[in-house]
């Protein structure tokens, strides 16, 4: 039976002295059509109050009761926060900051992922849980830790970093070449001389910084695998997931997702921010949903969201009536098979006591948030057959963690911020406003099956990916490349020769110069093709290129580079490649992609303001992100309304 899951983080360990509340929880969960909870994410001190003394009976009771009520369990490993006894007895589990100070006990998500003691203690508690509950019919999934991230600079991690480098480079001469260590006389004679980047030490050697980020990502995933494998030793068929975060820089999620059965993420958009329209917020969120779908090319889970407000945004706005349903169905439209919340019941104390939850301090079921949660639950029941359906391959938007690390670390040409995400988002919005299905892919992607590949700011362009892009266009694909592409290799060493490296002939041009723009500074560009906006402002970086066969579609209209191409297209093999020389204002991208998609993506169509269209299997989701009703494709959409069509016929 296809099922869309509805539920929340459930922390009954905070309420063990209130059996009445625990009982009421189940009753309310049933009313809200809850069919899964993530259980015990931060319950370690309750599960193992003293080293080696386990207390699992309360959890057994809860699991049995949930299961009897038809609620499945996504059982957490509790490694996201450690008990005090563990930190006291084994200080090596405490993380060391970049300035080499060791943290004290407290907070969460701050352990050394290398520490053998931490790994051993985590393995013990995980296996204890797996032995007791791993074969319980209610346990359908394992929630590995919580939001893995962060870095540790302790001696154990330094050693692991050196071993990782030795493995990567083989000999120190290769490392010296990759990091260009002759610069400022930083050559290393031995791997033992290497330290992680530090504010009071080395921090501007880009090769070192990049490899450190690679190592941190590797080590985090290695720890996650350790957790996964500790469970699978006991329950080989155990399914595992880990909850990931919005634009999180610290872990290469493409690598992480490969090791998981299911990708999932925690989504907390800033709905109702005065400087954004709801459509802006929705499109920003949509790009993330598409990223988490793309990680495995499979439906993902929305693991956390708030039914009302957070407590950590600058200002915590409540979701206006209808927005919880809008946001939840948007996730489903983009490939989620679940809507879960943080959290089920609002905590009484500590730092998240004012974070929204399905059940608030008043405990009432007649309040708006609870009632709207019931509505979401009902909608997920109505749409159950959407579960498991996949999305068609149309456009691939290249979003590469390594590129991001290198690009954001570079000094110059604009230290005021390069805005990689903003650039990605402009292209994403341009595609989404043409109803195009977008996957986010990295520089290791297989491009077969896509009609269009968009590679914004592909600063780090590895030779093999350049070859893939060339082949893609040669065989008939359409490619979009922007300024600040093909600049460095995988070690962050500048490519020598014509630029953008590996793509000059595909693009039919050559980069000559790059001018940085201050915030607010722009350069006017004018259209040479009537299908594009008559004029648009370039910002951030203005790249000046010399045409070598490409046809200009827009040109700069001021400064010494007036007349140089701002947008160009080139025929290459059976396909064509577009070049965008600067960052335009957001409004440029929808008409630009309307032009790019012509004859490339059959069903692309420019959507009216506030209308969002997303396809998943035979289902088309239409949503109105605006406050006034709209009619589109013959369907009337009220304010924040959603309609779902199955093979063109309305089912919701
Ligand atoms: C994260 C965490 C949760 C909780 C929420 C609050 O996503 O995983 O434990 O702190 O944020 O928004
Ligand atoms: Zn460490």
């Amino acid at each position: 039976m296809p099922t869309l899951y509805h539920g929340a983080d459930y922390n009954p360990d905070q309420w063990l002295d209130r059996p009445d509340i625990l009982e009421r929880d189940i009753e309310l969960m049933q009313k809200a059509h809850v069919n899964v909870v993530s259980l015990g994410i931060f319950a370690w001190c309750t599960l193992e109050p003293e080293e080696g003394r386990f207390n699992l009976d309360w959890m057994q009771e809860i699991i049995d009761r949930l299961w009897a009520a038809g609620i499945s369990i996504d059982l957490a490993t509790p490694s996201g926060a450690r008990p005090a006894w563990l930190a006291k007895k084994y200080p090596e589990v405490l993380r060391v900051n970049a300035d080499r100070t060791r943290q004290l006990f407290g907070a969460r998500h701050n352990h050394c992922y290398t520490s053998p003691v931490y790994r051993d203690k985590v393995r013990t508690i995980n296996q204890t849980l797996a032995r007791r509950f791993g074969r319980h019919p209610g346990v359908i999934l394992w929630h590995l830790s919580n939001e893995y991230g962060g870095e540790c600079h302790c001696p154990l991690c330094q050693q692991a970093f050196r071993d990782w480098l030795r493995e990567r480079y083989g000999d120190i001469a290769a490392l010296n070449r990759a990091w260009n260590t002759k610069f400022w006389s930083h050559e290393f004679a031995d791997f033992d001389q290497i330290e992680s980047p530090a504010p009071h030490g080395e921090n501007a050697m880009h090769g070192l910084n990049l490899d450190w980020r690679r190592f941190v990502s590797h080590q985090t995933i290695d720890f996650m695998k350790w957790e996964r494998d500790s469970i699978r030793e006991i329950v080989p068929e155990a399914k595992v997931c880990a909850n990931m975060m919005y634009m999180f820089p610290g872990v290469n999620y493409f690598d992480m997702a490969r090791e998981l059965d299911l990708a999932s993420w925690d989504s907390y958009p800033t709905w109702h921010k005065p400087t954004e329209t709801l459509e802006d917020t929705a499109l920003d969120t949509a790009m993330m949903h598409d990223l988490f779908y793309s990680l495995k090319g499979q439906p993902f889970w929305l693991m956390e969201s708030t039914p009302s407000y957070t407590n950590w945004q600058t200002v915590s706005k409540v979701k206006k009536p209808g927005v919880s349903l809008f946001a939840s169905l948007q996730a489903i439209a983009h490939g989620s098979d679940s809507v879960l919340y943080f959290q089920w019941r609002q905590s009484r104390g500590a730092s998240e006591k004012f974070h929204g939850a399905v059940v608030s301090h008043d405990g009432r079921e007649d309040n708006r948030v609870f009632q709207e949660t019931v509505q979401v639950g009902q909608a997920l029941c109505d749409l159950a057959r959407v579960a498991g359906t996949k999305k068609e391959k149309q456009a691939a938007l290249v979003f590469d963690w390594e590129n991001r690390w290198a690009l954001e670390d570079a000094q110059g040409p604009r230290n005021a911020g390069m805005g990689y995400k903003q650039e990605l988002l402009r292209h994403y919005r341009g595609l989404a406003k043409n109803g195009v299905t977008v996957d986010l892919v990295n520089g290791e992607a297989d491009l077969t099956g896509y009609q269009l590949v968009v590679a914004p700011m592909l600063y780090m362009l590895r030779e093999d990916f350049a070859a893939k892009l060339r082949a893609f266009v040669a065989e008939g694909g359409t490619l979009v490349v922007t300024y600040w592409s093909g600049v460095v290799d995988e070690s962050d060493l500048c490519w020598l020769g014509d630029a953008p490296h590996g793509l000059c002939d595909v693009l039919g041009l050559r980069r000559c110069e790059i001018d940085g723009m201050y915030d607010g500074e722009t350069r006017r560009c004018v259209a040479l093709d009537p299908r594009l906006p008559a004029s648009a402002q370039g910002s951030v970086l203005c790249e000046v290129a010399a045409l070598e066969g490409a046809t200009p579609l827009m040109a700069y209209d001021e400064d010494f580079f007036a007349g140089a191409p701002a947008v160009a297209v080139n025929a290459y093999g059976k396909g064509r490649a577009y070049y965008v020389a600067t960052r335009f204002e957001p409004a440029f991208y929808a008409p630009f992609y309307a032009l790019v998609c012509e004859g490339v993506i059959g069903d692309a169509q420019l959507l009216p303001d506030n209308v969002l269209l997303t396809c998943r299997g035979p289902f088309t989701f239409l949503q109105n992100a605006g406050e006034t009703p709209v009619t589109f494709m013959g369907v009337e959409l009220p304010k924040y309304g959603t309609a779902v069509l199955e093979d063109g016929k309305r089912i919701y």
Side-chain angles (χ1 to χ4, degrees), residues 112-114 152-154 156-157:
C112 171
Y113 290 135
T114 306
C152 175
H153 297 257
C154 79
L156 294 165
C157 288

Side-chain angles (χ1 to χ4, degrees), residues 9 41-42 108-109 146-147 243 245 266-268 304 306 310-312 342 352 355:
D9 277 19
I41 297 176
F42 296 111
R108 61 171 179 175
H109 302 163
N146 194 63
E147 296 189 336
N243 53 337
M245 293 172 270
D266 303 339
S267 173
Y268 295 100
E304 293 180 24
T306 175
T310 69
N311 71 328
W312 51 263
F342 177 85
E352 288 181 335
H355 195 291

